[in-house]
Every structure is written in C-alpha cells, then in structure tokens.
Amino acid sequence: MLSLDFYNPTRIILGKGRIAELDQHINANARVLVLYGGGSVERNGTLAEVRQALGTRHVQLFSGIEPNPTYETLMQAVELIRRDQLDFLLAVGGGSVIDGTKFVAAAVHFTGDPWDILLTGGTNVTTALPLASVLTLPATGSEMNNGAVITRAVDKAKLPMHSDQVFPQFSILDPSTTFSLPAKQVSNGVVDAFVHVIEQYLTVPFNSPLQDRFAEGLLQTLIEIGQQAVTESDNEEVRANLMWAASLALNGLIGAGVPQDWSTHLLGHELTALYGLDHAQTLAVVLPAMLQVRREAKRAKLLQYAQRVWQLTDGSEDERIDAAIDQTRSFFETVGVPTRLSDYGLDQSCIEPALEQLQTHGMTALGEHGDITPEVCRQVLLLSL
Ligand code: NZQ
Ligand code: ZN
C-alpha cells in the first residue's frame, strides 16, 4: 500500500422500525421530494411509513424510476424540482432509485447538458442537492457511496459517475423492508455485493493486509449467509447482516489505497444496456470467465483467494485456481443466479455488438493493468457462452 484517501460522510441507521427516525435527520423546513420506483414501496408499506415519519413537512412524490434508471425519466424529476423549488431528495427503494436520485441531485443546478455528467464520469459536478435514502434492497452499496450508474435509453448507453457531492447524508436500512423482495432480487444482491469485493480485492498483491482481511471477511460472510438470505424471506437478522455486508462491500473502505479492476462491471453494463440482463446476472456470467482469462495476471491473488476464502490447499497451483473459479461459479448458481450467456437465451451473436459498445464508450483499457482490451473481452464472452 502506498498511500490512501478515505472519505465517507454517510450515516448508516440500521435496524427494524428506524424509518421513524427520519424526522430527526431532515430539516423541519425542508421541501422534500420522495423518489421511488415501480411501486414495490407502495405495496409493502414502506412509503406510508416514510410519509408518516416526515410529518407535516412539505412532501411531493416522484415515482417510476425503473431498474437501470434512465436519463429520460430522471430529467422529468429534475424539471419538477426546478419548477416547485424542492430542496431535499429522499430515495426510497433499491440501487436504481438511489442512483437515479444522485443523478437528479447533481443535474438540478448543472449548467449545460446534464448528460455531460455521465460523459465525464461525474468529475464536472461541483454542487448537488442534499439527499438521503431508505434502502429496500441490499445489493449495490449505493446507500453508502458516491457512485451512480445511469442509462440513456435512446442510445443504449449505461455509464457510471462518481462525485463526493452525491454521497447520501444518511441511509436507513430496515431489514423488514426487504421481506417483500422476490427471491431473484435477493440472489442478485448477494452476487452484486460479492463481485464488488472481488473487483477491489482480486488484483495483485499490494502489501495491504488489512484491506485483504476485510475483503476476505466480507466474501466469507456473503458465502455463509447468501443462501439463507434468499430462502428465508423474513429472517430479520440475516437480512440485516446482508444489508450491512452489501454497504461495506462498496463504501470505499476495502478499495482505499489498493489497485482495482472494474472490468467485470464495465463489460456487464454493456450486456445490460444491449440485452436487458439484470446487473448481477451480467456479473455472474462475466466474472468466472474473466478470472479464467486473467489467471496469469492474477495468479498470486487467485491463490490467496483459493486458500483464505475457499480453504483450498490441496493440489497444484493451477488445480487450486481452477477449483476456486469453480467454487465461485457454483456459489452464484447455488444462490440462484445462472452463469452462462446461454442461460439468458444469448449466443455468439451477442458478442460483437457488446465489443463495439465498449469501443464507443472508451472502455478499451480496463483492469488493474489497463490491458483488458475489447479483444480480451471477446475471449471472456466466448468462454461465457
Ligand atoms: O421499482 P420497484 O417497484 O421498487 O421494484 C424494484 C425493482 O423492480 C424491486 N424492489 C426493490 N426493493 C423491493 C423490491 N421489490 C419488492 N420489495 C422490495 N423491498 O427490485 C427490482 C430491482 O431494483 P433495483 O433498484 O434495480 O436493483 P438493485 O438494487 O440491484 O440496483 C441495480 C442498479 O444499481 C446499479 C446497477 O448498475 C443497476 O442499475 N449499480 C449501482 C452501484 C453504485 N451506485 O455504487 C454499483 C453497482 O455495481 C451497480 O452498478
Ligand atoms: Zn455491481
């Protein structure tokens, strides 16, 4: 580890019944916009709880933020905020709603075309409205980080942004809000959090024993509780632990001061934008193949992962690496996320368009060494069929 910079201002309020505490954390005079998705929070009672906790404040609602939130929908929220002079944003939902709210917060006072925020990855954001979240889906870590991923439907572009201006001020994590989740979304959440850890951990040795141990602890926790979180839909303790693990998986801590490799995510984004796979489904498909193709560049860390996370100590180095990749694949399958493109009805013809989109978006030098080119991604996708 050479040097590091760690900043995370988000207060986490985790526990059953804690939505009532919203009142203590938002200014009484705030003009609040509550943003949410397709209606799950209306049906499971979370929205009603939020409204009650907000008391007599001025509150307006904006619904319809879709999974993989679109620029087109979010710009409608931006117009509403500008028109009605709202000054505090509360996201109620999963990663898509929180991500969408972050973009809206940054876009309201942005001069110029707000899509430029995505084209620069968020570096041109200088101010944003204050925001907070009530999380209903443990997965992305968006509730405790400065990132968002936004899709522009018209050109099928799904691009990330990061800005310290869009950290949530606080996030409320009440595990009982997750009881209504379909099993598929919990499976997705386990896989997404797992791959977030992998992308910050499984690179090259960097004399960062603490980040490594944190990362291995998160991976082992997800392996321990993953399946139970999926099958026991009203197990409050397991869901609370999953929420906390998913937040810590991508809040900047384990990635501070170490190399990172977001190639699985960035290639996965193209598969979502072109073919509609859920975010975590793309990760389950890409990661095992990416590890195979990158096994030499990642050899030392793969061996550490095999030993410390999967307790694989027998056999040659190559056998241990193969076994660790197999275990990873079967973990994803066991929690319920298929790992082959063919499982989602895709064949070889899906590959070239994805590579072209990588080129269009300038994603041509990915990975911890910057040497994952579209050609390497072709090998990965061929291995994922
Ligand atoms: O829209 P509603 O009706 O709310 O339904 C949602 C949606 O259909 C439903 N849902 C959420 N909470 C529920 C519920 N259904 C029943 N009960 C509940 N309690 O779940 C569906 C999926 O929701 P979504 O928010 O899309 O899922 P997720 O949290 O997995 O977010 C995925 C998005 O986050 C981005 C992904 O790219 C994707 O766009 N990511 C954001 C990151 C970040 N900000 O740091 C990092 C991640 O790598 C990821 O890229
Ligand atoms: Zn992710």
Side-chain angles (χ1 to χ4, degrees), residues 352-378:
E352 283 314 311
L355 302 181
E356 279 165 28
Q357 287 292 74
L358 281 174
Q359 291 278 8
T360 304
H361 300 142
M363 307 288 179
T364 53
L366 307 179
E368 64 272 30
H369 301 296
D371 58 355
I372 302 183
T373 59
E375 184 47 44
V376 176
C377 291
R378 175 183 284 113

Side-chain angles (χ1 to χ4, degrees), residues 192 196 265 279 283:
D192 194 20
H196 292 160
H265 266 71
H279 173 60
L283 307 177

